[in-house]
Amino acid sequence: MELGLRDTVVLVTGASRGLGAAIAVALAGEGAQVVAAARSKDALEEVAARGGGRISVAEADMRDEASTLALVDTVVSRYGRIDGLVNNAGIAPAGKFADQDPAIWRDAMQVNVIAPMLLAQAAGRHMIGQGGGRIVSVASTTGVRGKPYLVAYSTSKGAVVRMTEALAAEWAPRNVQVNCLAPGAFKTDAQSAVLESPDLLRRRVAKIPAGRMADPDELVPLACLLVSPRASFTTGAVFVVDGGESGKL
């Protein structure tokens, strides 16, 4: 099915590796002009090299609000519009809650909640002005069901889910669709400790009815669909992609 993404302009954050990189490359493959954003320019350039000339890069730090907001201005300055935003950048601090420094919670909220809200607001203003657009935020299954030792992460991703639902209802009359992906266990750098330990990997996979962890490319088709005009009546939805783990009793 043709997704209608050719020559649309999409900003993807956290695009230097993992899920963000896979989404950026796939969108470029569908004909979109992608701006891939992250802190590491070298890693971004490697991703851009896989984009067939349709990925440009932009350095940004989600901890810095000015840097975050400048991203949307950069996209519009380069291409004159912004049709899609994929809020993928995030951090997942782990540890015993009773021992954690509150600074860790604030950092997680800044990167995982405040930055996506700032980008959604800035991009949304342009989308409304041009007649529509689509925002997709990458949350987590821990934002749907809390997980021990990831309290700050779970809290922040739960906030992203609620933001998605509320903003979708507010902007549906303006033809801006807002949706959320909640991935489970994917083979990314964030899971390196699990992937490199046969024992940890065995225990992690035992919790997943599908019997394995997923490859980043397995999130890509849904992400591309939600960024496309084909999803024009889909808004406020949270799509769990976890091999059945959240549904297991």
Side-chain angles (χ1 to χ4, degrees), residues 18-239:
L19 298 178
I23 292 170
V25 172
L27 287 169
E30 292 289 334
Q33 183 63 57
V34 179
V35 177
R39 289 185 297 171
S40 172
K41 185 176 181 179
D42 289 343
L44 286 172
E45 293 290 359
E46 292 178 9
V47 173
R50 298 158 51 197
R54 288 190 168 271
I55 299 178
S56 65
V57 306
E59 289 182 84
D61 186 346
M62 298 297 107
R63 291 178 171 86
D64 184 302
E65 292 190 7
S67 176
T68 301
L69 285 171
L71 275 176
V72 174
D73 290 336
T74 295
V75 174
V76 175
S77 175
R78 288 180 188 175
Y79 302 108
R81 61 185 295 113
I82 179 168
D83 301 293
L85 165 65
V86 179
N87 277 317
N88 172 71
I91 57 174
K96 296 180 179 179
F97 182 72
D99 300 331
Q100 276 189 328
D101 187 329
I104 292 173
W105 314 338
R106 296 188 190 98
D107 196 36
M109 295 300 287
Q110 181 66 46
V111 175
N112 296 351
V113 183
I114 300 300
M117 290 183 74
L118 288 170
L119 288 170
Q121 183 185 58
R125 287 170 176 161
H126 286 283
M127 291 174 182
I128 290 169
Q130 68 195 23
R134 290 151 298 280
I135 298 171
V136 178
S137 294
V138 179
S140 166
T141 50
T142 64
V144 179
R145 299 178 66 178
K147 188 172 184 178
Y149 307 110
L150 285 171
V151 175
Y153 182 64
S154 295
T155 301
S156 67
K157 291 303 186 178
V160 170
V161 171
R162 296 286 86 83
M163 177 190 77
T164 294
E165 295 169 342
L167 192 52
E170 183 169 334
W171 281 352
R174 312 305 293 272
N175 193 32
V176 177
Q177 291 80 50
V178 188
N179 292 290
C180 184
L181 295 169
F186 277 72
K187 297 175 184 176
T188 65
D189 291 347
Q191 295 290 329
S192 59
V194 173
L195 293 169
E196 294 168 5
S197 168
D199 182 56
L200 287 177
L201 180 59
R202 177 185 56 78
R203 285 188 282 165
R204 184 68 187 90
V205 167
K207 299 177 182 179
I208 306 170
R212 62 181 179 84
M213 293 177 69
D215 291 316
D217 286 345
E218 292 181 276
L219 191 68
V220 160
L222 183 53
C224 289
L225 174 63
L226 293 175
V227 177
S228 81
R230 300 293 184 233
S232 59
F233 199 63
T234 302
T235 195
V238 180
F239 294 89

